[in-house]
Amino acid sequence: MGGVVSLVTITIHALVTTIVVRVAQTSSVKRVTHPSLFLIRIMIPTVSVFMVAHTVEVFIWALAYWFVEAAPPGADLVYFAFVNFATLGYGDIVPVERWVLLGPITAMNGWLLFGWSTACIFEVLHRALVRSGVPNG
């Protein structure tokens, strides 16, 4: 189950990354008159789109938890998924024994997808800095 959900979230992330990169490339074609405003115009949507993507991915994990009944009855599955995905590890909700490995698999998936997002955000920022003419050391 963890592998299937991971593949779904990876697929979503690949699609979102493709969209972000294409939009960033399109935006960089235009003439830059105000470098700071250009950076803001590129970075806020880029980061926001990745935040939305991560939230959707968390909801997919929560749906999987619900489907297999991975958490005790009455547990807030979205909260549980967020805690696992973001690797917070509060431990106030623990999975039922049969699904104990689903939490670490969720955390590994989240960690990898956060890293992927960070790499893409950095690349979009780098290209925006080059395009805007702002020195980036």
Side-chain angles (χ1 to χ4, degrees), residues 57-89:
E57 293 154 2
V58 166
F59 273 86
I60 289 169
W61 275 106
L63 184 63
Y65 293 168
W66 170 80
F67 183 74
V68 299
E69 299 177 350
D76 183 340
L77 297 178
V78 173
Y79 167 76
F80 184 45
F82 259 113
V83 168
N84 284 324
F85 192 81
T87 67
L88 289 175

Side-chain angles (χ1 to χ4, degrees), residues 39-115:
L39 292 175
I40 290 168
R41 195 178 79 221
I42 295 294
M43 296 314 298
I44 289 175
T46 298
V47 173
S48 298
V49 166
F50 279 119
M51 286 185 69
V52 169
H54 287 295
T55 302
V56 168
E57 293 154 2
V58 166
F59 273 86
I60 289 169
W61 275 106
L63 184 63
Y65 293 168
W66 170 80
F67 183 74
V68 299
E69 299 177 350
D76 183 340
L77 297 178
V78 173
Y79 167 76
F80 184 45
F82 259 113
V83 168
N84 284 324
F85 192 81
T87 67
L88 289 175
Y90 286 151
D92 53 338
I93 302 175
V94 294
V96 295
E97 191 170 332
R98 179 173 181 220
W99 294 104
V100 72
L101 286 178
L102 214 48
I105 292 170
T106 306
M108 181 175 60
N109 180 245
W111 186 75
L112 290 169
L113 295 181
F114 283 132

Side-chain angles (χ1 to χ4, degrees), residues 124-135:
V124 168
L125 175 60
H126 175 73
R127 289 175 186 249
L129 286 169
V130 169
R131 173 68 179 116
S132 68
V134 174

